[in-house]
Amino acid sequence: MKFEYVLLALIGGRPRSGFDLGRWVEVEGQFLRSRAHHSQIYRLLGRMTADGWVAFDVDPREGRPDAKVYRLTPLGRDVLWEWVRSPYEPTSRFQDPDFLARFAFTAPLDRQAALRLVDSELDYRRAQIARNRDRDRTLRFEDPLPEMDQEFAQEVFDELHAYGASAVDTWVAWLEGMRHRLEQPPMPETERGSSSA
């Protein structure tokens, strides 16, 4: 996943400064991406500006350096939509940051694209479970180190498998729940406003 798409999606929600983007990544976005240095964000914003994806206005700040506040350009909007609607190729690791980021920003923009994303992930995980759940997990040793506790090694690997199986089952259940929510019609604006009061 290119980090630029996450930045585009964030700016698509509201104009933001580089500082605002960095703070979001460190706090709200920590499950979507590991740390990103502010210098990386500013470098990407410079490239995105040069490519015509974003433009900025200078926000004068008293007693502090002025801030550049970025907003999407029409080209940036097109690039964001292209990412949101592009095919997703699952990886062997479930809860992949690319999936999480794409889902987080696709679901509020395009429910049908989000459904395709979830279906791709669900199909892949179900096939992965079918291939691996009941396979022979017996460890085979040949000339092991004398200190190797073979019985305990098997126990440890069995426990890791049980943990992984439980985690992937939880992930699949979450995906199924999100799929069901995506299939529901959006709540009317009048109901959304009254439910948060």
Side-chain angles (χ1 to χ4, degrees), residues 111-128:
R111 285 177 181 242
Q112 290 307 309
L115 275 168
R116 289 191 299 273
L117 185 66
V118 168
D119 284 342
S120 294
E121 180 71 4
L122 271 171
D123 290 347
Y124 187 92
R125 294 307 147 213
R126 288 173 177 147
Q128 190 179 42

Side-chain angles (χ1 to χ4, degrees), residues 156-189:
V156 167
F157 274 81
D158 288 342
E159 286 297 322
L160 286 170
H161 173 77
Y163 172 77
S166 171
V168 80
D169 288 345
T170 299
W171 176 242
V172 166
W174 182 83
L175 288 167
E176 289 168 342
M178 289 310 302
R179 189 182 197 299
H180 177 73
R181 288 185 68 188
L182 287 165
E183 290 178 316
Q184 304 307 306
M187 188 185 299
E189 189 68 38

Side-chain angles (χ1 to χ4, degrees), residues 58-79:
V58 176
D59 182 18
R61 309 272 170 106
E62 196 172 315
R64 295 180 295 156
D66 294 345
K68 291 179 180 176
V69 178
Y70 295 85
R71 58 183 162 63
L72 289 186
T73 63
L75 176 59
R77 179 180 155 81
D78 290 345
V79 169

